């Protein structure tokens, strides 16, 4: 691997073709759990020691935001340990908060601040201002919260004032654009029930996407003493006078979406590749990517907190089984599957991935554009993508655009098994969730001239 060194943020990273992957890694903390736990700990009675917090752009903006709101967050003894002192209401009643491109910070903080009321400005990077938030704002306004758009209707930046809450009727929220809107309302719900003494009822209008993330929210709320009851995925209730209580200490699991890249490496580079930090006890939906790999013909082993894959050797001409799969439950790991399609024994179809359009970039468009550069035949529609892999001699060397999307950079590293050199543009965009990704990747793979892969 060679990095361009012309600027502080390298313009590109060159990846030479590799043939094998083997080894074991410890995953960085889960982004989704880290940011939920920070908010829960900030609102809980007592202080919480958080172990294994992810250190990345998305968690940094959440930490900075909470500190601006007057929450005490101190570094603990270990590098990935933080001690958060909870408060019933954020002491800072006026704040201007930058939340980068972190959906898991922006959406939950919007709901919490709107239910508290105050004088807040929330903004992010330009792409965050193109990511919809209208369904959440509509739901909050339905409750009497005071939230106004500072730019385009339906999008950040937002200003939050003092509303007049009325919780007598259920709040309705749409769930077909992002599950984070429902997650945000659930996480903030105790702020509403504490002040009114009535139950908080939430109803999802129509379809709910990305359901495992809502399940994760409910499980984490339970660790902080608040039980959500639900009727299917349509109706949710948080009891009157619910109040978060610190569990004292909490451990953040490894990131299951980040795990997908290494499990995929084991799948195409012979393996075994083992990831530590997630396993069959995980609360993250993306661990089911291991089941997807099993359907592609990969051998998967799992323990309570590890997963291992042992697959085919694509460098020796072996193939994965082609797939036609609904990825609505695991939209992030689905990007990894899209790149694995390059090594399948036939055309592959990814269905029900419409949410890709409104994430870090329009991921259907970005994925389509970059896969074509490598020689694949690609078709796409509003919520689907079909990838026909290139023949072995039809792979083309390419400069892969990453579209300021960490997952584009990480999943295209897997294309370095295609036998051609690759250039990954703006590799540091991985800092959103996994700043050391390429170092970890480099420690697992070996090229043609290496007799033995690192273990
Ligand atoms: O709640 C969460 O932690 C997340 C939910 C998902 O988003 P959508 O619900 O918008 O699909 C996922 O893509 C995102 O990375 C994290
Ligand atoms: C969609 C993602 O992020 P966010 O939490 O900002 O929505 C992601 O990490 O793939």
């Amino acid at each position: 691997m060679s990095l361009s060194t012309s600027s502080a943020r390298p313009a590109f990273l060159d990846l030479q073709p590799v043939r094998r992957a083997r080894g074991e890694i410890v995953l960085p903390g889960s982004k989704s759990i880290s940011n939920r736990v920070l908010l829960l700990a900030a609102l809980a009675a007592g202080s919480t020691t958080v172990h294994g917090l992810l250190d990345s752009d998305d968690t940094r903006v959440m930490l900075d935001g909470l500190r601006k709101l007057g929450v005490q967050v101190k570094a603990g003894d270990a590098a990935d340990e933080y001690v958060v002192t909870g408060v019933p209401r954020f002491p800072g009643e006026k704040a201007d908060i930058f939340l980068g491109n972190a959906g898991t910070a922006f959406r939950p903080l919007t709901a919490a601040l709107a239910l508290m009321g105050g004088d807040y400005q929330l903004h992010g990077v330009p792409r965050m201002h193109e990511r919809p938030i209208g369904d959440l704002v509509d739901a909050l306004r339905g409750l009497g919260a005071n939230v106004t758009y500072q730019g385009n209707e339906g999008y950040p930046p937002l200003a939050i004032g003092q509303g007049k809450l009325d919780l007598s009727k259920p709040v309705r929220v749409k769930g077909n654009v992002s599950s984070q809107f429902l997650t945000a309302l659930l996480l903030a719900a105790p702020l509403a029930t504490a002040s009114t003494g009535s139950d908080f009822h939430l109803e999802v209008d129509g379809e709910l996407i990305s359901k495992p993330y809502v399940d994760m929210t409910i499980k984490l709320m339970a660790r902080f003493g608040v039980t959500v009851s639900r009727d299917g995925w349509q109706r949710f209730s948080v009891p009157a006078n619910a109040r978060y209580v610190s569990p004292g200490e909490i451990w953040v699991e490894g990131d299951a979406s980040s795990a997908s890249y290494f499990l995929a490496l084991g799948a195409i580079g012979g393996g075994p590749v083992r990831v530590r930090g997630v396993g069959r006890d995980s609360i993250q939906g993306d661990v089911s990517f291991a089941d997807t790999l099993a359907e592609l013909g990969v051998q998967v082993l799992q323990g309570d907190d590890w997963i291992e894959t042992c697959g085919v050797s694509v460098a020796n001409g072996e193939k994965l089984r082609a797939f036609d799969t609904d990825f609505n439950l695991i939209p992030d790991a689905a990007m990894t599957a899209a790149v694995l399609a390059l090594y399948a024994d036939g055309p592959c179809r990814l269905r029900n991935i419409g949410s890709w359009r409104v994430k870090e970039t329009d991921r259907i468009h970005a994925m389509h554009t970059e896969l074509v550069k490598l020689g694949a035949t690609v078709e796409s529609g509003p919520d689907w993508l079909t990838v026909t892999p290139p023949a072995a001699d039809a792979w083309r060397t390419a400069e892969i655009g990453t579209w300021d999307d960490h997952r584009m950079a990480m999943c295209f590293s897997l294309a370095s098994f295609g036998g051609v050199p690759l250039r990954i543009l703006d590799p540091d965009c991985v800092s959103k969730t996994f700043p050391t990704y390429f170092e970890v990747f480099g420690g697992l793979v070996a090229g043609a001239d290496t007799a033995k892969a690192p273990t």
Side-chain angles (χ1 to χ4, degrees), residues 31 58 101-104 107 131 180 332 359-360 363 406-407 432-433:
K31 166 200 78 170
D58 277 15
N101 198 3
T104 54
R107 279 83 182 250
R131 297 181 66 187
Q180 291 177 1
D332 295 356
K359 300 204 189 254
E360 281 76 337
R363 288 176 165 170
H406 55 142
R407 296 201 194 285
K432 186 174 191 284
T433 55

Side-chain angles (χ1 to χ4, degrees), residues 31-32 36 104 107 177-180 183 209-210 213 331-332 355 359 407:
K31 166 200 78 170
S32 295
R36 281 168 173 77
T104 54
R107 279 83 182 250
V177 170
S178 171
S179 70
Q180 291 177 1
T183 278
I209 63 163
S210 302
Y213 288 99
D332 295 356
S355 71
K359 300 204 189 254
R407 296 201 194 285

Side-chain angles (χ1 to χ4, degrees), residues 57 150 295 298 383:
D57 292 351
Q150 300 299 285
E295 280 160 27
V298 176
D383 66 350

Side-chain angles (χ1 to χ4, degrees), residues 116-452:
M116 279 185 197
D119 179 4
Y120 304 112
Q121 308 284 328
L122 298 187
H123 53 102
V125 299
R127 175 61 184 172
M128 182 49 98
H129 297 176
E130 294 172 355
R131 297 181 66 187
I133 198 161
D135 295 337
L136 176 59
V137 171
D138 287 349
L140 291 165
R141 285 178 173 171
L143 284 170
N146 176 354
V147 186
T148 47
Y149 298 113
Q150 300 299 285
N152 294 328
E153 284 285 297
Y155 299 86
L158 300 178
I160 296 174
Q162 192 66 56
K164 202 167 174 330
L165 299 188
D166 170 10
L167 302 167
S168 53
K169 46 186 189 315
V171 54
R172 301 185 69 82
V173 64
K174 287 175 77 179
N176 63 340
V177 170
S178 171
S179 70
Q180 291 177 1
F181 306 145
L182 174 59
T183 278
L185 290 163
L186 285 168
L187 289 170
L191 292 166
T193 58
S195 58
T196 62
S198 37
D199 289 1
F200 187 80
H201 298 290
L202 266 152
E203 286 179 12
V204 177
D205 255 343
E207 188 210 359
L208 174 64
I209 63 163
S210 302
K211 294 183 184 73
Y213 288 99
V214 173
D215 193 39
M216 180 198 298
T217 303
I218 293 173
K219 287 187 170 130
L220 289 171
M221 287 171 69
R223 300 232 189 129
F224 282 80
V226 172
T227 308
V228 176
S229 38
R230 69 176 175 91
D231 174 7
W233 295 99
Q234 238 47 54
R235 266 170 290 281
F236 300 79
S237 321
V238 177
N241 302 317
R243 172 81 216 270
Y244 291 126
V245 178
S246 168
E249 293 193 88
I250 191 158
W251 279 261
V252 175
E253 293 177 12
D255 193 296
S257 315
S258 299
S260 71
Y261 313 110
F262 305 111
L263 297 177
L265 276 182
I268 56 178
V273 171
R274 182 176 288 202
V275 296
R276 290 203 168 272
V278 289
R280 48 170 110 79
D281 284 351
S282 174
I283 60 168
Q284 298 168 75
D286 272 13
V287 286
S288 74
F289 182 69
D291 303 332
T292 307
L293 289 177
E295 280 160 27
L296 270 50
V298 176
Q299 197 187 94
V300 180
L301 294 175
Q302 293 199 48
D304 294 346
D305 73 341
W306 58 268
I307 310 177
E308 181 178 291
T309 51
C310 217
V312 299
S313 168
V314 296
N316 290 336
E318 293 169 7
K319 306 267 183 213
L320 294 172
R321 245 176 251 145
F323 58 89
D324 178 345
T325 305
D326 181 329
F327 281 106
N328 193 272
L329 300 181
I330 54 167
D332 295 356
M335 292 179 74
T336 314
V339 177
L340 285 185
L342 292 168
Y343 306 109
D345 60 6
C348 299
R349 191 170 172 90
L350 293 91
R351 287 182 281 110
N352 212 355
I353 50 167
S355 71
W356 278 21
R357 298 266 183 210
V358 291
K359 300 204 189 254
E360 281 76 337
T361 185
D362 175 344
R363 288 176 165 170
I364 294 186
H365 175 66
M367 187 61 77
H368 185 146
T369 307
E370 303 307 322
L371 286 171
V372 164
K373 288 183 186 168
L374 293 166
T377 304
V378 183
E379 287 173 86
S380 57
D383 66 350
W384 57 269
L385 186 79
T386 305
V387 184
T388 304
D393 57 1
W395 276 77
R396 291 195 295 258
T397 181
E399 215 174 64
I400 302 293
T402 49
W403 307 68
D404 206 12
D405 183 347
H406 55 142
R407 296 201 194 285
M408 286 295 287
M410 295 190 281
C411 64
F412 272 92
S413 66
L414 301 170
S416 53
F417 281 80
V420 294
L422 291 182
R423 174 164 284 186
I424 305 279
L425 298 179
D426 187 25
D428 277 9
C429 65
V430 297
S431 64
K432 186 174 191 284
T433 55
F434 199 160
T436 59
Y437 175 76
F438 284 105
E439 287 143 51
V440 181
F441 170 85
L444 290 175
V445 295
D449 51 352
T450 313
K452 196 171 177 304

